[in-house]
DNA sequence: AATAGACACAACCGCTGCAGT
DNA sequence: GACTGCAGCGGTTGTGTCTAT
């Protein structure tokens, strides 16, 4: 546990200027401060934050006021968990722009750069750490594109099957997951007949992770990506748009109930070369990554139950 | 029930770029 | 061109809450 240190206020010295500064409040905002700020902005609009802070009678820096308004008080801020669509968009945009949080936030109405940044740091980077992959590495990017995003696409399409064909995030992903966008490293490493296209017209979008009939999940040691399943294989993941052609019985078994990251045995992955394989860099993901490994969305939902 | 550790997120800090003087 | 103040951005930290033991 991180030590809960009180914020060090280095402005407790006694020069006149610093005395003034020492009156500045820090830390959590009170309801009264929020009200003051909200009312002032309602009357005078936002901007010129330093002046605003003074005029509104707030003992805060302009910076602090701006942040409070933009990240918390602004009326159009969306609260609650990020939807699969939003997660999808974040992953996609981050793969494009990197840590340009404010730029990414512009494409997610109602979400702040701070929120997106926090999401990335707490959820996405956590998974990268657990996999011993640098979150800014190409490997991780490939993993996100190949496994995480498709899972989210499924989620999105399950959530809105009727509107999925016009879903912007869905079409985004279809584009992302077409062969042209598959990283060369990936396409060369995987004997993927064709990268999956996530057809919104697929009338069956069985969620492997949610299927009670699933008995096994697999980490495939072969050269092919395999997210197939012995019992229920989603239509859109098979047939003309296949991840792989390896059958289930060629793969390792993982307890079907272990859909959480926590349940995955990383040691066993290591045993088949998941971590070590720099010499087989190109095969790292195809060989050992399983669909359930990237079932983040389900994991988070389960965690919240 | 108590406690430690993990997690999530609000808030702060430092830096950069830009506009005004 | 140099200086100053401000806004905005991304990284980091502090702390309340949740979860596991």
């Amino acid at each position: 546990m991180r030590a809960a240190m009180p914020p060090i206020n280095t402005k407790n010295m006694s020069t006149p200027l610093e005395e003034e500064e020492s009156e500045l409040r820090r830390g959590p905002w009170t309801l009264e401060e929020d009200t003051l700020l909200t009312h002032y902005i309602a009357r005078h609009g936002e901007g010129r934050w330093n002046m605003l802070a003074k005029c509104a009678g707030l003992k805060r820096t302009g910076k602090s006021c701006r942040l409070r308004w933009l990240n918390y008080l602004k009326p159009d801020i969306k609260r609650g968990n990020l939807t699969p669509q939003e997660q999808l968009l974040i992953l996609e945009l981050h793969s494009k722009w990197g840590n340009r949080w404010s730029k990414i936030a512009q494409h997610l109405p109602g979400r702040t750069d701070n929120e997106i940044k926090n999401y990335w740091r707490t959820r996405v980077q956590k998974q990268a750490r657990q996999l011993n992959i640098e979150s800014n590495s190409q490997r991780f990017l490939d993993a996100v594109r190949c496994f995480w995003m498709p899972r989210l696409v499924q989620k999105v399409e399950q959530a809105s099957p009727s509107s999925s064909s016009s879903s912007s995030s869905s079409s985004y992903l279809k584009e992302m997951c077409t062969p042209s966008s598959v990283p060369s490293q990936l396409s060369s490493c995987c004997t993927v007949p064709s990268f999956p296209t996530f057809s919104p017209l697929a009338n069956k979008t069985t969620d492997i992770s949610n299927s009670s009939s699933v008995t096994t999940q697999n980490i495939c040691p072969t050269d092919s990506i395999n997210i197939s399943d012995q019992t229920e294989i989603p239509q859109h993941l098979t047939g003309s748009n296949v991840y792989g052609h390896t059958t289930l019985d060629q793969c390792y078994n993982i307890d079907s109930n272990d859909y959480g990251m926590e349940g995955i045995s990383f040691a066993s992955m290591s045993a088949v070369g998941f971590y070590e394989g720099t010499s087989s860099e190109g095969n790292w993901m195809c060989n050992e990554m399983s669909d359930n490994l990237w079932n983040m969305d389900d994991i988070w939902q389960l965690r919240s139950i």
Side-chain angles (χ1 to χ4, degrees), chain A residues 66-300:
Chain A
R66 175 183 164 272
L67 222 54
R68 182 65 178 172
W69 174 253
L70 292 178
N71 288 340
Y72 196 83
L73 296 173
K74 211 173 176 181
D76 56 0
I77 285 175
K78 221 188 270 180
R79 302 254 146 233
N81 294 337
L82 291 161
T83 65
Q85 285 96 329
E86 289 172 322
Q87 293 176 44
L88 202 49
L89 206 49
I90 291 170
L91 294 176
E92 200 279 324
L93 293 177
H94 187 273
S95 73
K96 225 189 247 179
W97 297 325
N99 296 359
R100 303 284 304 279
W101 306 118
S102 65
K103 193 169 181 178
I104 293 171
Q106 286 168 10
H107 290 76
L108 287 115
R111 301 296 186 182
T112 67
D113 55 350
N114 212 28
E115 193 175 7
I116 293 166
K117 186 167 59 182
N118 281 332
Y119 165 76
W120 188 264
R121 289 191 64 79
T122 57
R123 269 90 145 192
V124 180
Q125 290 200 327
K126 188 183 87 177
Q127 303 307 335
R129 276 199 307 275
Q130 287 183 350
L131 293 171
N132 273 354
I133 307 174
E134 286 291 323
S135 62
N136 56 358
S137 68
Q138 185 61 43
R139 289 176 89 189
F140 188 67
L141 182 62
D142 293 347
V144 166
R145 283 186 175 174
C146 246
F147 294 92
W148 199 341
M149 286 175 140
R151 294 286 308 121
L152 284 169
V153 169
Q154 271 187 275
K155 282 279 172 195
V156 169
E157 294 184 349
Q158 280 169 353
S160 54
S162 59
S163 62
S164 60
S165 60
S166 60
S167 156
S168 62
S169 53
S170 180
S171 56
Y172 231 141
L173 250 291
K174 275 178 276 169
E175 190 185 326
M176 284 296 292
C177 294
T178 52
S180 63
S181 64
V182 175
S184 55
Q185 178 197 31
L186 179 67
S187 51
S188 63
C189 78
C190 303
T191 56
V192 183
S194 63
F195 203 75
T197 57
F198 294 90
S199 167
L201 299 177
N203 56 7
K204 188 176 183 184
T205 54
T206 305
D207 186 337
I208 293 172
S209 65
N210 289 339
S211 169
S212 59
S213 61
V214 172
T215 55
T216 51
Q217 293 284 311
N218 308 281
I219 294 174
C220 183
T222 73
D223 284 339
S224 303
I225 291 177
N226 176 19
I227 63 162
S228 68
D229 161 65
Q230 214 163 22
T231 53
E232 298 261 349
I233 303 171
Q235 195 78 47
H236 63 293
L237 294 179
T238 59
S240 63
N241 42 20
V242 190
Y243 263 121
H245 45 258
T246 309
T247 58
L248 179 92
D249 46 334
Q250 291 172 271
C251 304
Y252 296 117
N253 294 330
I254 293 175
D255 182 349
S256 63
N257 294 323
D258 269 339
Y259 296 125
M261 295 290 294
E262 298 84 353
I264 303 290
S265 164
F266 293 100
S268 66
M269 288 181 172
S270 182
V272 294
F274 187 84
Y275 298 122
E276 295 89 345
T278 49
S279 61
S280 56
E281 180 79 12
N283 289 330
W284 68 276
M285 189 166 61
C286 316
N287 290 351
E288 290 92 8
M289 264 206 164
S290 67
D291 178 53
N292 63 345
L293 181 60
W294 288 91
N295 193 5
M296 309 293 184
D297 201 38
D298 295 326
I299 293 163
W300 297 331

Side-chain angles (χ1 to χ4, degrees), chain A residues 298-305:
Chain A
D298 295 326
I299 293 163
W300 297 331
Q301 282 177 9
L302 284 171
R303 285 175 51 83
S304 65
I305 293 170

Side-chain angles (χ1 to χ4, degrees), chain A residues 27 29-31 33-50 52-53 56 58 60-79 110-115:
Chain A
W29 281 64
T30 64
L31 182 61
E33 288 177 311
D34 282 348
T35 308
L36 275 173
L37 181 57
T38 306
H39 284 175
Y40 188 89
I41 289 176
R43 274 200 297 272
H44 303 97
E46 52 183 283
R48 290 187 284 182
W49 295 102
N50 283 335
L52 183 152
L58 287 159
R60 296 273 184 175
T61 64
K63 233 177 182 181
S64 180
C65 293
R66 175 183 164 272
L67 222 54
R68 182 65 178 172
W69 174 253
L70 292 178
N71 288 340
Y72 196 83
L73 296 173
K74 211 173 176 181
D76 56 0
I77 285 175
K78 221 188 270 180
R79 302 254 146 233
R111 301 296 186 182
T112 67
D113 55 350
N114 212 28
E115 193 175 7

